[in-house]
Coordinates of all heavy atoms in Angstrom, one line a residue:
M1 N 0.8 -1.2 0.0 CA 0.0 0.0 0.0 C 0.9 1.2 0.0 O 1.7 1.4 0.9 CB -0.9 -0.1 1.3 CG -1.8 1.1 1.4 SD -3.1 0.6 2.6 CE -3.1 1.9 3.6
Q2 N 0.7 2.1 -1.0 CA 1.5 3.3 -1.1 C 0.7 4.5 -0.6 O -0.5 4.6 -0.8 CB 1.9 3.5 -2.5 CG 2.9 2.5 -3.1 CD 3.2 2.9 -4.5 OE1 2.5 3.6 -5.2 NE2 4.4 2.4 -4.9
H3 N 1.5 5.4 0.1 CA 0.9 6.6 0.6 C 1.3 7.7 -0.3 O 2.5 8.0 -0.4 CB 1.3 6.9 2.1 CG 0.8 5.9 3.0 ND1 -0.5 5.8 3.4 CD2 1.4 4.8 3.7 CE1 -0.7 4.8 4.3 NE2 0.5 4.2 4.4
T4 N 0.4 8.5 -0.8 CA 0.7 9.6 -1.6 C 0.2 10.9 -0.9 O -0.9 10.8 -0.3 CB 0.1 9.5 -3.0 OG1 -1.3 9.4 -2.9 CG2 0.7 8.3 -3.8
L5 N 0.9 11.9 -1.0 CA 0.5 13.2 -0.4 C -0.5 13.9 -1.4 O -0.3 13.9 -2.6 CB 1.7 14.1 -0.2 CG 2.7 13.6 0.9 CD1 3.9 14.6 1.0 CD2 2.0 13.5 2.2
S6 N -1.5 14.4 -0.8 CA -2.4 15.2 -1.7 C -1.8 16.5 -2.1 O -0.8 17.0 -1.5 CB -3.7 15.5 -0.9 OG -3.4 16.4 0.1
P7 N -2.2 17.0 -3.3 CA -1.6 18.2 -3.8 C -1.7 19.4 -2.8 O -0.8 20.2 -2.7 CB -2.3 18.5 -5.1 CG -2.9 17.2 -5.5 CD -3.1 16.4 -4.2
L8 N -2.8 19.4 -2.1 CA -3.1 20.5 -1.1 C -2.1 20.4 0.0 O -1.5 21.4 0.5 CB -4.5 20.5 -0.6 CG -4.9 21.6 0.3 CD1 -4.7 23.0 -0.4 CD2 -6.3 21.4 0.8
L9 N -1.8 19.2 0.5 CA -0.9 19.1 1.6 C 0.5 19.4 1.2 O 1.2 20.1 1.9 CB -1.0 17.6 2.1 CG -0.1 17.3 3.3 CD1 -0.4 18.2 4.5 CD2 -0.2 15.8 3.7
S10 N 0.9 19.0 0.0 CA 2.3 19.3 -0.5 C 2.4 20.8 -0.7 O 3.5 21.3 -0.4 CB 2.6 18.5 -1.7 OG 1.7 18.8 -2.8
L11 N 1.4 21.4 -1.2 CA 1.5 22.9 -1.4 C 1.6 23.6 -0.1 O 2.3 24.5 0.1 CB 0.2 23.4 -2.2 CG 0.2 24.8 -2.5 CD1 1.3 25.3 -3.4 CD2 -1.2 25.2 -3.1
S12 N 0.8 23.1 0.9 CA 0.9 23.7 2.3 C 2.3 23.5 2.9 O 2.8 24.5 3.5 CB -0.1 23.0 3.2 OG -1.4 23.2 2.7
V13 N 2.9 22.4 2.7 CA 4.2 22.1 3.2 C 5.2 23.1 2.5 O 6.1 23.6 3.2 CB 4.6 20.7 3.1 CG1 6.1 20.4 3.4 CG2 3.7 19.8 4.0
L14 N 5.1 23.2 1.2 CA 6.0 24.1 0.5 C 5.9 25.5 0.9 O 6.9 26.2 1.1 CB 5.7 23.9 -1.0 CG 6.5 24.8 -2.0 CD1 8.0 24.4 -1.9 CD2 6.0 24.7 -3.4
L15 N 4.6 26.0 1.1 CA 4.4 27.4 1.5 C 5.0 27.6 2.9 O 5.5 28.7 3.2 CB 3.0 27.7 1.4 CG 2.4 27.9 0.0 CD1 0.9 28.2 0.1 CD2 3.1 29.0 -0.7
A16 N 4.8 26.6 3.8 CA 5.3 26.8 5.1 C 6.9 26.8 5.1 O 7.5 27.6 5.9 CB 4.8 25.6 6.0
A17 N 7.5 26.0 4.3 CA 8.9 26.0 4.2 C 9.4 27.4 3.6 O 10.4 27.9 4.1 CB 9.4 24.9 3.3
L18 N 8.7 27.9 2.6 CA 9.1 29.2 2.1 C 8.9 30.3 3.2 O 9.8 31.2 3.3 CB 8.3 29.5 0.9 CG 8.7 28.8 -0.4 CD1 7.7 29.1 -1.5 CD2 10.1 29.1 -0.8
A19 N 7.9 30.3 3.9 CA 7.6 31.3 4.9 C 8.7 31.2 6.0 O 9.2 32.2 6.5 CB 6.2 31.1 5.5
A20 N 9.1 30.0 6.4 CA 10.1 29.8 7.4 C 11.5 30.2 6.9 O 12.3 30.8 7.7 CB 10.1 28.3 7.9
S21 N 11.8 30.1 5.7 CA 13.1 30.5 5.1 C 13.2 32.0 5.1 O 14.3 32.5 5.1 CB 13.3 29.9 3.7 OG 12.4 30.5 2.8
G22 N 12.1 32.7 5.0 CA 12.1 34.2 5.1 C 12.6 34.7 6.4 O 13.2 35.8 6.5
C23 N 12.4 34.0 7.5 CA 12.8 34.4 8.8 C 14.2 33.8 9.2 O 14.6 34.0 10.3 CB 11.8 33.9 9.8 SG 10.1 34.6 9.5
A24 N 14.8 33.1 8.3 CA 16.1 32.5 8.6 C 17.2 33.4 9.0 O 18.0 33.2 9.9 CB 16.5 31.5 7.5
A25 N 17.3 34.5 8.2 CA 18.5 35.4 8.4 C 17.9 36.8 8.4 O 17.1 37.2 7.5 CB 19.5 35.2 7.4
T26 N 18.5 37.7 9.2 CA 18.1 39.1 9.2 C 19.1 39.8 8.2 O 20.3 39.5 8.2 CB 18.2 39.7 10.6 OG1 19.5 39.6 11.1 CG2 17.1 39.1 11.5
P27 N 18.6 40.7 7.5 CA 19.5 41.4 6.6 C 20.4 42.4 7.3 O 20.2 42.7 8.5 CB 18.5 42.2 5.7 CG 17.3 42.4 6.5 CD 17.2 41.2 7.3
N28 N 21.5 42.8 6.6 CA 22.5 43.7 7.2 C 21.9 45.1 7.5 O 22.5 45.9 8.2 CB 23.7 43.8 6.3 CG 24.5 42.5 6.3 OD1 24.4 41.7 7.2 ND2 25.2 42.3 5.2
L29 N 20.7 45.4 6.9 CA 20.1 46.7 7.1 C 19.7 46.9 8.5 O 19.6 48.1 9.0 CB 18.9 46.8 6.2 CG 19.2 46.7 4.7 CD1 17.9 46.7 3.9 CD2 20.2 47.7 4.2
D30 N 19.5 45.9 9.3 CA 19.0 46.0 10.7 C 20.0 46.7 11.5 O 19.7 47.4 12.5 CB 18.7 44.7 11.3 CG 17.4 44.1 10.7 OD1 16.7 44.8 10.1 OD2 17.2 42.9 11.0
R31 N 21.3 46.6 11.2 CA 22.3 47.3 12.0 C 22.3 48.8 11.8 O 22.7 49.5 12.7 CB 23.7 46.7 11.7 CG 23.9 45.3 12.2 CD 25.3 44.9 11.9 NE 25.3 44.4 10.4 CZ 26.4 44.3 9.7 NH1 27.6 44.6 10.2 NH2 26.3 43.9 8.5
Q32 N 21.8 49.2 10.7 CA 21.7 50.7 10.4 C 20.3 51.2 10.5 O 20.0 52.3 10.1 CB 22.2 50.9 9.0 CG 23.7 50.5 8.7 CD 24.6 51.4 9.5 OE1 24.4 52.5 9.7 NE2 25.7 50.8 10.0
F33 N 19.4 50.5 11.1 CA 18.0 50.9 11.2 C 17.9 52.2 12.0 O 18.4 52.3 13.1 CB 17.2 49.8 11.9 CG 15.7 50.1 11.9 CD1 15.0 49.8 10.7 CD2 15.1 50.6 13.0 CE1 13.6 50.0 10.7 CE2 13.7 50.8 12.9 CZ 13.0 50.6 11.8
G34 N 17.3 53.2 11.3 CA 17.0 54.5 12.0 C 18.2 55.5 11.8 O 18.1 56.6 12.1
R35 N 19.3 55.0 11.3 CA 20.5 55.9 11.1 C 20.2 57.0 10.1 O 20.6 58.1 10.4 CB 21.7 55.1 10.7 CG 22.9 55.9 10.6 CD 23.5 56.2 12.0 NE 24.7 57.0 11.8 CZ 25.0 58.1 12.4 NH1 24.2 58.5 13.3 NH2 26.1 58.7 12.2
S36 N 19.5 56.7 9.0 CA 19.3 57.7 8.0 C 18.4 58.8 8.6 O 18.5 60.0 8.3 CB 18.7 57.1 6.8 OG 17.4 56.6 7.0
V37 N 17.4 58.5 9.4 CA 16.5 59.5 10.0 C 17.3 60.3 10.9 O 17.1 61.6 11.0 CB 15.3 58.8 10.7 CG1 14.4 59.8 11.4 CG2 14.5 58.0 9.7
E38 N 18.1 59.7 11.7 CA 19.0 60.5 12.6 C 19.9 61.5 11.9 O 20.0 62.6 12.3 CB 19.8 59.6 13.5 CG 20.7 60.3 14.5 CD 21.6 59.3 15.3 OE1 21.4 58.1 15.1 OE2 22.4 59.8 16.1
Q39 N 20.5 61.0 10.8 CA 21.3 61.9 10.0 C 20.6 63.1 9.4 O 21.0 64.2 9.4 CB 22.0 61.1 8.9 CG 23.1 60.2 9.4 CD 23.7 59.3 8.3 OE1 23.2 59.3 7.2 NE2 24.8 58.6 8.6
L40 N 19.4 62.8 8.9 CA 18.6 63.9 8.3 C 18.2 64.9 9.4 O 18.2 66.1 9.1 CB 17.3 63.3 7.6 CG 17.6 62.6 6.3 CD1 16.3 61.9 5.8 CD2 18.1 63.5 5.3
R41 N 17.8 64.4 10.5 CA 17.4 65.3 11.6 C 18.6 66.2 12.0 O 18.4 67.4 12.2 CB 16.9 64.5 12.8 CG 16.3 65.4 13.9 CD 15.9 64.6 15.1 NE 17.0 63.8 15.7 CZ 18.0 64.2 16.5 NH1 18.0 65.5 16.8 NH2 18.9 63.4 16.9
L42 N 19.8 65.6 12.1 CA 21.0 66.4 12.5 C 21.3 67.4 11.5 O 21.8 68.5 11.8 CB 22.1 65.5 12.8 CG 22.0 64.6 14.1 CD1 23.1 63.6 14.2 CD2 21.9 65.5 15.3
R43 N 21.1 67.1 10.2 CA 21.5 68.0 9.1 C 20.5 69.2 9.0 O 20.8 70.2 8.4 CB 21.5 67.3 7.8 CG 22.7 66.4 7.7 CD 22.8 65.7 6.4 NE 23.9 64.8 6.3 CZ 24.1 63.9 5.4 NH1 23.3 63.9 4.3 NH2 25.1 63.1 5.4
Q44 N 19.3 69.1 9.6 CA 18.3 70.2 9.6 C 18.6 71.2 10.7 O 17.9 72.2 10.6 CB 16.9 69.6 9.7 CG 16.5 68.8 8.4 CD 15.2 68.2 8.6 OE1 14.5 68.3 9.6 NE2 14.7 67.5 7.5
V45 N 19.5 70.9 11.6 CA 19.7 71.8 12.7 C 20.8 72.8 12.2 O 21.8 72.5 11.8 CB 20.2 71.1 13.9 CG1 20.6 72.0 15.0 CG2 19.2 70.1 14.4
L46 N 20.4 74.1 12.3 CA 21.3 75.2 11.8 C 22.6 75.3 12.7 O 23.7 75.3 12.2 CB 20.6 76.5 11.8 CG 21.3 77.7 11.3 CD1 21.7 77.5 9.8 CD2 20.5 79.0 11.4
S47 N 22.4 75.3 14.0 CA 23.5 75.4 14.9 C 23.3 74.5 16.0 O 22.5 74.7 17.0 CB 23.6 76.9 15.4 OG 24.6 77.0 16.4
P48 N 24.0 73.3 16.0 CA 23.8 72.3 17.1 C 24.2 72.9 18.5 O 23.7 72.4 19.5 CB 24.7 71.2 16.7 CG 25.0 71.4 15.2 CD 24.9 72.8 15.0
Q49 N 25.1 73.8 18.6 CA 25.5 74.4 19.8 C 24.6 75.6 20.3 O 25.0 76.3 21.2 CB 27.0 74.8 19.8 CG 27.9 73.6 19.7 CD 28.0 73.1 18.3 OE1 27.7 73.8 17.3 NE2 28.5 71.9 18.1
A50 N 23.5 75.8 19.7 CA 22.7 77.0 20.0 C 22.2 76.9 21.4 O 22.0 78.0 22.1 CB 21.5 77.1 19.0
G51 N 21.9 75.8 22.0 CA 21.4 75.7 23.3 C 22.4 76.1 24.4 O 22.1 76.5 25.5
A52 N 23.7 76.0 24.1 CA 24.8 76.4 25.0 C 25.0 77.9 25.0 O 25.6 78.5 26.0 CB 26.1 75.7 24.7
N53 N 24.5 78.7 24.1 CA 24.6 80.1 24.0 C 23.7 80.8 25.0 O 22.4 80.7 24.8 CB 24.4 80.6 22.6 CG 24.7 82.1 22.4 OD1 25.1 82.8 23.3 ND2 24.4 82.5 21.2
R54 N 24.2 81.5 25.9 CA 23.3 82.2 26.9 C 23.2 83.7 26.7 O 22.6 84.4 27.5 CB 23.9 82.0 28.3 CG 24.0 80.5 28.8 CD 22.6 80.0 28.9 NE 22.6 78.6 29.3 CZ 21.6 77.8 29.1 NH1 20.4 78.3 28.7 NH2 21.6 76.6 29.4
D55 N 23.7 84.2 25.6 CA 23.4 85.6 25.2 C 22.0 85.8 24.8 O 21.4 85.0 24.1 CB 24.3 86.0 24.0 CG 25.8 86.0 24.4 OD1 26.1 86.2 25.6 OD2 26.7 86.0 23.5
P56 N 21.4 86.9 25.3 CA 20.0 87.1 24.9 C 19.9 87.4 23.4 O 20.8 88.0 22.8 CB 19.6 88.3 25.7 CG 20.8 89.0 26.1 CD 21.9 87.9 26.2
V57 N 18.8 87.1 22.9 CA 18.5 87.4 21.4 C 18.2 88.8 21.2 O 17.4 89.4 21.9 CB 17.4 86.5 20.9 CG1 17.1 86.8 19.5 CG2 17.7 85.0 21.1
A58 N 19.0 89.5 20.3 CA 18.7 90.9 20.0 C 17.7 90.9 18.9 O 17.7 90.1 18.0 CB 20.0 91.5 19.6
G59 N 16.7 91.8 19.0 CA 15.7 91.9 18.0 C 14.5 92.6 18.6 O 14.5 93.7 19.1
M60 N 13.4 91.9 18.5 CA 12.1 92.5 18.9 C 12.0 92.6 20.4 O 12.3 91.6 21.1 CB 11.0 91.6 18.3 CG 9.6 92.2 18.3 SD 8.4 91.1 17.6 CE 8.8 91.2 15.9
D61 N 11.4 93.7 20.9 CA 11.2 93.8 22.4 C 10.0 93.0 22.8 O 9.2 92.5 22.0 CB 11.1 95.3 22.8 CG 9.9 96.0 22.2 OD1 9.4 95.5 21.2 OD2 9.4 96.9 22.8
G62 N 9.8 92.9 24.1 CA 8.7 92.0 24.6 C 7.3 92.5 24.2 O 6.5 91.7 23.9
K63 N 7.1 93.8 24.3 CA 5.7 94.3 24.0 C 5.4 94.1 22.5 O 4.3 93.7 22.2 CB 5.6 95.8 24.4 CG 5.6 96.0 25.8 CD 5.3 97.5 26.2 CE 5.2 97.7 27.7 NZ 4.9 99.1 28.0
A64 N 6.3 94.4 21.6 CA 6.1 94.2 20.2 C 5.9 92.7 19.9 O 5.0 92.4 19.1 CB 7.3 94.7 19.4
A65 N 6.7 91.8 20.5 CA 6.5 90.4 20.3 C 5.1 89.9 20.8 O 4.5 89.1 20.1 CB 7.6 89.6 20.9
Q66 N 4.7 90.4 21.9 CA 3.4 90.0 22.5 C 2.3 90.5 21.6 O 1.3 89.8 21.4 CB 3.3 90.6 23.9 CG 2.1 90.1 24.6 CD 2.0 90.6 26.1 OE1 2.7 91.5 26.4 NE2 1.1 90.0 26.8
A67 N 2.4 91.7 21.1 CA 1.3 92.3 20.2 C 1.3 91.4 18.9 O 0.2 91.2 18.3 CB 1.6 93.7 19.9
A68 N 2.5 91.1 18.3 CA 2.5 90.3 17.1 C 1.9 88.9 17.3 O 1.1 88.4 16.5 CB 3.9 90.2 16.6
Y69 N 2.2 88.3 18.5 CA 1.6 87.0 18.8 C 0.1 87.1 19.0 O -0.6 86.2 18.5 CB 2.3 86.4 20.0 CG 1.8 85.1 20.4 CD1 2.2 84.0 19.6 CD2 1.0 84.8 21.5 CE1 1.7 82.7 19.9 CE2 0.5 83.6 21.8 CZ 0.9 82.5 21.0 OH 0.4 81.3 21.3
A70 N -0.3 88.1 19.6 CA -1.8 88.3 19.8 C -2.5 88.5 18.5 O -3.6 87.9 18.3 CB -2.1 89.5 20.8
A71 N -1.9 89.2 17.6 CA -2.5 89.4 16.3 C -2.5 88.1 15.5 O -3.5 87.8 14.8 CB -1.7 90.5 15.5
Y72 N -1.5 87.3 15.6 CA -1.4 86.0 15.0 C -2.5 85.1 15.5 O -3.2 84.4 14.8 CB 0.0 85.4 15.3 CG 0.2 84.0 14.8 CD1 0.3 83.7 13.4 CD2 0.2 82.9 15.7 CE1 0.5 82.4 13.0 CE2 0.4 81.6 15.3 CZ 0.5 81.4 13.9 OH 0.7 80.1 13.5
Q73 N -2.7 85.0 16.8 CA -3.7 84.2 17.4 C -5.1 84.7 17.0 O -6.0 83.9 16.8 CB -3.6 84.2 19.0 CG -2.4 83.4 19.5 CD -2.4 81.9 19.1 OE1 -3.5 81.3 19.1 NE2 -1.3 81.4 18.8
K74 N -5.3 86.0 16.9 CA -6.6 86.6 16.6 C -7.0 86.2 15.1 O -8.1 86.0 14.8 CB -6.6 88.1 16.7 CG -7.9 88.7 16.5 CD -7.8 90.2 16.8 CE -9.1 90.9 16.5 NZ -9.0 92.4 16.6
S75 N -5.9 86.0 14.3 CA -6.2 85.7 12.9 C -6.9 84.3 12.8 O -7.6 84.0 11.8 CB -4.9 85.7 12.1 OG -4.1 84.7 12.4
F76 N -6.7 83.4 13.7 CA -7.3 82.1 13.7 C -8.7 82.1 14.3 O -9.5 81.3 14.1 CB -6.4 81.1 14.4 CG -5.2 80.8 13.7 CD1 -4.0 81.3 14.1 CD2 -5.2 80.0 12.5 CE1 -2.8 81.0 13.5 CE2 -4.0 79.8 11.8 CZ -2.8 80.2 12.3
A77 N -9.0 83.1 15.2 CA -10.3 83.2 15.8 C -11.4 83.6 14.8 O -12.5 83.0 14.9 CB -10.3 84.2 17.0
A78 N -11.1 84.5 13.9 CA -12.1 84.9 12.9 C -11.3 85.0 11.6 O -10.9 86.0 11.1 CB -12.6 86.3 13.3
P79 N -11.2 83.8 10.9 CA -10.5 83.8 9.6 C -11.3 84.6 8.5 O -12.5 84.7 8.6 CB -10.4 82.3 9.3 CG -11.5 81.6 10.1 CD -11.7 82.5 11.3
A80 N -10.5 85.1 7.6 CA -11.1 85.8 6.5 C -12.1 84.9 5.7 O -11.7 83.8 5.4 CB -10.1 86.4 5.6
P81 N -13.2 85.4 5.3 CA -14.1 84.6 4.5 C -13.5 84.3 3.1 O -12.9 85.1 2.5 CB -15.4 85.5 4.3 CG -14.9 86.9 4.6 CD -13.8 86.8 5.5
Q82 N -13.8 83.1 2.7 CA -13.2 82.6 1.4 C -14.3 82.4 0.4 O -15.5 82.1 0.8 CB -12.5 81.3 1.6 CG -11.5 81.3 2.7 CD -10.2 80.7 2.3 OE1 -10.1 80.1 1.2 NE2 -9.1 80.9 3.0
G83 N -14.0 82.6 -0.8 CA -15.0 82.5 -1.9 C -15.3 81.0 -2.1 O -14.7 80.1 -1.5
A84 N -16.3 80.8 -3.0 CA -16.7 79.4 -3.2 C -15.5 78.6 -3.9 O -14.8 79.2 -4.7 CB -17.9 79.4 -4.2
A85 N -15.4 77.4 -3.5 CA -14.3 76.6 -4.0 C -14.3 76.3 -5.5 O -13.3 76.2 -6.2 CB -14.2 75.3 -3.2
F86 N -15.6 76.3 -6.1 CA -15.7 75.9 -7.5 C -16.0 77.2 -8.4 O -16.4 77.0 -9.5 CB -16.8 74.9 -7.6 CG -16.4 73.6 -7.0 CD1 -17.1 73.2 -5.8 CD2 -15.4 72.8 -7.5 CE1 -16.8 72.0 -5.2 CE2 -15.1 71.6 -6.9 CZ -15.8 71.2 -5.7
T87 N -15.7 78.3 -7.9 CA -15.9 79.5 -8.7 C -14.7 79.7 -9.7 O -13.6 79.7 -9.3 CB -15.9 80.8 -7.8 OG1 -17.0 80.6 -6.9 CG2 -16.1 82.0 -8.6
I88 N -15.1 79.7 -10.9 CA -14.1 79.9 -12.0 C -14.4 81.3 -12.6 O -15.5 81.7 -12.9 CB -14.2 78.8 -13.1 CG1 -14.0 77.5 -12.4 CG2 -13.3 79.1 -14.2 CD1 -14.2 76.3 -13.4
G89 N -13.4 82.1 -12.7 CA -13.5 83.5 -13.2 C -14.0 83.6 -14.6 O -13.2 84.1 -15.5
V90 N -15.1 83.1 -14.9 CA -15.7 83.2 -16.3 C -16.8 84.3 -16.3 O -17.7 84.2 -15.5 CB -16.2 81.9 -16.8 CG1 -16.9 82.0 -18.1 CG2 -15.2 80.8 -16.7
G91 N -16.7 85.2 -17.2 CA -17.8 86.2 -17.3 C -17.1 87.6 -17.1 O -16.0 87.7 -16.8
A92 N -17.9 88.6 -17.3 CA -17.4 89.9 -17.2 C -18.1 90.7 -16.1 O -18.7 91.8 -16.3 CB -17.6 90.6 -18.6
R93 N -18.1 90.1 -14.9 CA -18.7 90.8 -13.8 C -17.7 91.7 -13.2 O -16.5 91.4 -12.9 CB -19.1 89.8 -12.7 CG -20.0 90.4 -11.6 CD -20.3 89.5 -10.5 NE -20.8 88.2 -10.9 CZ -21.0 87.2 -10.1 NH1 -20.8 87.3 -8.8 NH2 -21.5 86.1 -10.5
Q94 N -18.1 93.0 -13.0 CA -17.1 94.0 -12.4 C -17.7 94.7 -11.3 O -18.8 95.0 -11.1 CB -16.7 95.0 -13.5 CG -15.8 94.3 -14.5 CD -15.3 95.3 -15.5 OE1 -15.6 96.5 -15.5 NE2 -14.5 94.8 -16.4

């Protein structure tokens, strides 16, 4: 009496073997994981030593800065009305 494997069983065994072989070795990229993001973040910093500088920033005084910030915040409280999104400037309305 001969035992033969059904095609479905042999396909299942083959797929399981392929899935297991994918986990056999980790690629070399894992050692450098996250390094590119760190390099990009560091390159975006204008002056890495800026936090160590204790000299005050010369420029806008406190009252002017506070007024500018208040105007900025007020611009979000009541935004300017916008026209219809699908208005196309066709016609001679003046």
Side-chain angles (χ1 to χ4, degrees):
M1 181 161 129
Q2 289 183 339
H3 295 287
T4 59
L5 295 176
S6 69
L8 183 59
L9 181 60
S10 60
L11 181 62
S12 300
V13 170
L14 178 65
L15 288 177
L18 286 174
S21 69
C23 300
T26 58
N28 291 336
L29 301 175
D30 287 347
R31 287 183 281 160
Q32 298 294 324
F33 188 78
R35 182 73 179 136
S36 63
V37 175
E38 181 184 356
Q39 288 176 349
L40 287 173
R41 186 184 56 82
L42 291 174
R43 288 182 184 171
Q44 291 178 358
V45 176
L46 182 64
S47 175
Q49 290 80 22
N53 184 3
R54 296 294 176 199
D55 290 338
V57 176
M60 196 179 284
D61 66 335
K63 287 185 179 182
Q66 188 175 13
Y69 181 72
Y72 174 74
Q73 290 296 325
K74 186 178 177 184
S75 71
F76 291 106
Q82 305 228 350
F86 295 109
T87 302
I88 299 174
V90 177
R93 192 187 307 177
Q94 293 183 359

